[in-house]
């Protein structure tokens, strides 16, 4: 990751990551071998090792980083501008739609499982994801509640909203019921609702 | 489970489940073979198959049911009587202490993973756990807020509290940070706080 690639090289690497991500979504991380990735990306072994000297595990890390970015991406453009109650509601709808579509599947969770949940790589990727996500939500809480009290500091509020998403998603995955996520989000956002709405 | 065992038989079966649960907590579900369980419980193969005709997978199901019961047990006696704000706070402390001690380990999660998260067995155990847990929390919300409005119906409030626990625990497991669980619980309980407190 710290090696400098040419623009063309970086594009090729990214193409491999995206193809590997699709393959892993389809087959599952544990079932995907280096040969599968090589076949799916039409690359030679030496090409793969040029871009990923660490082999399969380095590819899995890159794919997990990609999937973590997708988690944020699925919430845009709403997550990037949560300054109105309407944008918060749209964000909530986008989150619900995204996770209802995924259902029991959790591409990032499958990858961090395969990397080892408490491995430094998995932990760094998930921690960065949570921090990025929390920062966006904190900014949104501050923007929405400017000039009035949200009843708690903005980052605590953001952390609680994020935990509501994580809890709802885990419970959806375990039971197939989307109601946990819906109601957890509704109640986590409730204190932010402007009085005039 | 539906076979009728004598009291002595049921006690032996339970002894095997508890010993297997300890072993699996120690070694991990995927690493625990039938022979390991046989050795740890000092039972013969024919004894094991007498109590668990389905073999290893039936033992794993029984251990998962046991671990699900432990999840509820760890919250007692507070979960059973949430009629005062003080008991809610004690329950919150018990939950925090329990999951802080477990840290990244999640005995039930490891078992449902091994059974296959979307297997009917895993799904039934987790759904029953959530339903039991939610019913206790709903009863607590009703008892605490009798005579005043909790600002949402009691079961929605209970579901949101449960999602806060699940989300906080998942985030603790992924990052090692307990703050998510602390703050998610604080804010999920906040609407229940009696005005006089």
């Amino acid at each position: 990751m710290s090696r400098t690639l040419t623009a063309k090289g970086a594009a090729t690497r990214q193409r491999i990551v995206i193809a590997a991500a699709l393959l892993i979504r389809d087959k599952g991380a544990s079932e995907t071998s280096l040969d599968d990735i090589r076949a799916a990306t039409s690359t030679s072994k030496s090409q793969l090792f040029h871009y990923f000297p660490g082999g399969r595990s380095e590819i899995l890390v890159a794919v997990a980083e990609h999937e973590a970015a997708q988690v944020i991406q699925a919430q845009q453009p709403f997550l990037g501008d949560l300054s109105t109650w309407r944008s918060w509601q749209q964000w909530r709808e986008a989150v619900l739609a995204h996770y209802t579509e995924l259902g029991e599947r959790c591409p990032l969770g499958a990858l961090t499982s395969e990397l080892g949940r408490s491995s430094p790589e998995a932990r760094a990727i998930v921690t960065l994801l949570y921090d990025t996500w929390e920062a966006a939500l904190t900014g949104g809480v501050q923007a929405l509640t400017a000039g009035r009290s949200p009843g708690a500091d903005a980052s605590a509020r953001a952390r609680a909203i994020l935990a509501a998403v994580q809890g709802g998603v885990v419970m959806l995955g375990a039971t197939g019921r989307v109601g946990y996520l819906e109601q957890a989000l509704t109640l986590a956002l409730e204190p932010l609702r402007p009085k005039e709405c």
Side-chain angles (χ1 to χ4, degrees), chain A:
Chain A
M1 294 294 299
S2 53
R3 288 161 305 122
T4 312
L5 294 172
T6 61
K8 184 154 172 266
T12 303
R13 188 181 189 280
Q14 181 65 2
R15 183 179 64 74
I16 295 171
V17 168
I18 290 172
L22 289 174
L23 184 66
I24 287 172
R25 281 195 176 207
D26 199 39
K27 280 177 70 105
S30 59
E31 304 300 313
T32 303
S33 69
L34 202 55
D35 276 346
D36 295 330
I37 295 171
R38 205 155 52 80
T41 56
S42 309
T43 44
S44 67
K45 203 160 190 170
S46 71
Q47 250 185 314
L48 266 195
F49 278 99
H50 171 69
Y51 290 109
F52 305 94
R56 180 172 177 275
S57 66
E58 187 175 346
I59 298 179
L60 290 184
V61 168
V63 172
E65 288 168 338
H66 172 72
E67 290 292 0
Q70 295 305 109
V71 170
I72 297 294
Q73 194 54 43
Q75 303 174 61
Q76 302 296 11
F78 312 112
L79 186 64
D81 176 18
L82 290 170
S83 60
T84 65
W85 179 241
R86 184 173 151 74
S87 60
W88 275 96
Q89 294 307 111
Q90 289 173 321
W91 169 76
R92 179 181 175 282
E93 291 303 319
V95 167
L96 281 174
H98 177 62
Y99 287 107
T100 303
E101 193 200 324
L102 283 182
E104 290 150 38
R105 290 172 302 129
C106 176
L108 181 57
L111 281 156
T112 56
S113 245
E114 182 70 12
L115 290 169
R117 275 192 201 286
S118 46
S119 70
E121 293 79 9
R123 182 160 284 208
I125 292 166
V126 175
T127 301
L128 176 63
L129 169 61
Y130 287 159
D131 286 347
T132 306
W133 202 339
E134 181 185 322
L137 291 171
T138 300
V141 172
Q142 287 167 334
L144 180 67
T145 61
R148 62 193 175 89
S149 163
D153 77 88
S155 67
R157 195 59 82 195
R159 236 165 267 151
I161 295 167
L162 184 48
V165 175
Q166 299 301 310
V169 167
V170 166
M171 298 174 82
L172 168 60
T175 65
R177 300 170 176 167
V178 76
Y180 298 113
L181 181 58
E182 281 175 349
Q183 297 189 353
L185 268 176
T186 298
L187 295 194
L189 298 186
E190 186 190 52
L192 300 178
R193 181 196 283 266
K195 291 296 172 280
E196 63 269 31
C197 283

